[in-house]
Structure formats: structure tokens, C-alpha cells
């Protein structure tokens, strides 16, 4: 792929988590808050393209289902290259199917062919409380949804569960989780501004 010259690197965010955890909903929630002066591209890796109304500065694309670093890697490579050449977004968001391997996808996006285009990707993990507890209950599991995350949204905790939330977050940190957490009832309570601050992904010129 040809080098990008004189262009800011594309701020890239991967959104990962188990099936039906709200990844698509979170991306759409953020997209509807996108600054109009920024061009966003969303790559969905789910079963359907959950569009609804999107701002004019947001472009969304449905990728084939399957593991983006294995069975669907060629498709991702083709669409990603086309998106970067033709659209040159300021921000790129990639939803990761629950069958994908976040650690391998991170390595792929840091290949030499993308280094002149993409900033180092950041990962957001969306974990329902019950799923987080199941992962923590098995000491033999080292989940990339925990260890690859730069920020994590744990859904399903009400305000009354503050002590339980503190215990879960402490346990996640001990298992290699990120420093930045958000505890919400659902994904719609995490605004993009707060997520951007947690990830440190401001759009900056080279």
C-alpha cells in the first residue's frame, strides 16, 4: 500500500467483547456525538449493519462475519486499504466479532503497510457484569478482552452496587486489565467525550 504523505495519522479504536454485549450500540452512540468537522469511519463485524440515522460525517461499512485476523483478514485488508485511500478518515472504529483475536488484530494493524496511515490502535472492551465475573472466576483464563483493553466499559451495575463494582474492577486490574474503567447500566451512558479522554485519542496533525 502506498505511503500517506503530509496527512495526520488516523486515530484507530477497536471495540471488543462477547456476543450481544452492546458493541454496535456503543459505536452508534459515539457516532451520533461525533464532531461535524471530523470524518469518522465505522467498520462493523457483526451480523447486520445497525445503522439508523448517522451524521453526514460518519461512514459505516459492514464487513463479513468471522475472525478479522484469520478467516476475514483478506476482506479487512481490502476494505481498510480502500477506506484509507479514498476517504482518509480522521477516526477509524472497528467492531471486533467475538470470534476474533484482539491481540493478533492489534499486531496486524501495526504492520509496516499501515504505519504511515494508522496511529497505534487503542482497544475498548465492553463486558457485561456477569461475563466479567465468569472470566474472573476461572483463574486459568487469560482473556484478551481484559489484557488488551486500554479502557473498559462494565455494564449492568446499578448505583446501589458500588461495593460490588469496586471488587470487580480491582479484580480486573489484578488480571491485567486497564487503568481506565467506566461502570454504567448500559452503553448509552458513556459519552464519546469521556471515552476520548480515557483513551487519549485526540485528533492531532503530524
Amino acid at each position: 500500500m502506498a505511503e500517506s504523505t503530509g496527512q495526520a495519522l488516523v486515530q484507530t479504536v477497536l471495540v471488543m467483547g462477547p456476543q450481544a454485549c452492546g458493541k454496535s450500540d456503543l459505536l452508534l452512540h459515539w457516532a451520533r456525538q461525533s464532531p461535524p468537522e471530523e470524518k469518522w469511519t465505522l467498520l462493523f463485524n457483526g451480523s447486520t449493519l445497525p445503522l439508523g440515522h448517522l451524521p453526514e460525517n460518519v461512514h459505516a461499512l459492514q464487513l463479513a462475519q468471522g475472525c478479522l485476523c484469520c478467516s476475514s483478514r483478506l476482506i479487512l485488508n481490502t476494505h481498510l486499504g480502500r477506506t484509507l485511500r479514498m476517504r482518509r478518515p480522521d477516526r477509524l472504529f472497528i467492531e471486533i466479532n467475538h470470534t476474533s483475536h484482539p491481540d493478533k488484530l492489534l499486531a496486524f494493524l501495526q504492520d509496516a503497510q499501515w504505519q504511515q496511515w494508522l496511529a497505534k490502535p487503542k482497544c475498548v472492551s465492553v463486558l457485561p457484569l456477569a461475563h466479567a465475573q465468569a472470566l474472573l472466576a476461572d483463574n486459568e483464563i487469560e482473556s484478551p478482552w481484559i489484557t488488551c483493553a486500554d479502557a473498559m466499559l462494565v455494564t449492568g451495575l446499578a448505583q446501589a452496587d458500588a461495593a460490588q463494582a469496586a471488587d470487580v474492577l480491582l479484580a480486573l486490574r489484578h488480571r491485567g486489565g486497564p487503568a481506565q474503567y467506566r461502570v454504567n447500566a448500559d452503553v448509552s451512558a458513556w459519552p464519546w467525550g469521556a471515552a476520548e479522554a480515557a483513551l487519549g485519542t485526540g485528533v492531532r496533525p503530524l
Side-chain angles (χ1 to χ4, degrees):
M1 185 170 174
E3 291 187 356
S4 170
T5 57
Q7 297 286 329
L9 295 177
V10 178
Q11 299 297 321
T12 306
V13 176
L14 310 183
V15 178
M16 58 186 178
Q19 189 173 20
C21 67
K23 299 184 293 289
S24 298
D25 291 337
L26 181 62
L27 282 177
L28 293 173
H29 174 60
W30 286 347
R32 291 176 183 127
Q33 303 170 48
S34 60
E37 69 275 10
E38 292 182 6
K39 291 196 298 183
W40 286 27
T41 291
L42 314 180
L43 300 182
F44 288 97
N45 185 214
S47 56
T48 57
L49 188 57
L51 280 180
H53 174 71
L54 287 177
E56 292 184 359
N57 61 307
V58 177
H59 174 70
L61 181 66
Q62 175 70 51
L63 301 176
Q65 292 189 66
C67 178
L68 288 180
C69 52
C70 301
S71 60
S72 298
R73 177 168 174 164
L74 179 59
I75 293 172
L76 173 62
N77 191 80
T78 300
H79 285 294
L80 181 56
R82 184 178 300 158
T83 292
L84 294 174
R85 287 194 306 270
M86 298 180 65
R87 294 195 58 82
R88 295 185 179 274
D90 298 302
R91 295 187 187 274
L92 171 69
F93 297 83
I94 304 176
E95 177 200 22
I96 305 178
N97 185 285
H98 68 284
T99 63
S100 296
H101 305 89
D103 49 346
K104 294 181 181 179
L105 185 56
L106 281 170
F108 166 71
L109 293 173
Q110 294 177 77
D111 281 350
Q113 65 173 324
W114 308 118
Q115 287 180 0
Q116 297 297 320
W117 294 85
L118 303 179
K120 183 179 179 180
K122 298 295 183 76
C123 283
V124 170
S125 186
V126 182
L127 282 182
L129 173 61
H131 203 100
Q133 291 173 320
L135 290 175
L136 293 171
D138 190 341
N139 291 326
E140 300 300 318
I141 294 179
E142 183 175 320
S143 172
W145 295 336
I146 298 175
T147 57
C148 290
D150 295 291
M152 184 180 292
L153 172 63
V154 182
T155 61
L157 282 178
Q159 289 297 108
D161 297 321
Q164 185 183 23
D167 290 342
V168 169
L169 298 188
L170 181 61
L172 287 168
R173 289 192 178 100
H174 286 165
R175 292 287 290 274
Q180 299 290 336
Y181 288 87
R182 182 90 179 191
V183 177
N184 288 346
D186 57 56
V187 297
S188 65
W190 195 13
W192 167 243
E196 181 185 17
L199 292 169
T201 58
V203 173
R204 303 179 183 88
L206 288 174

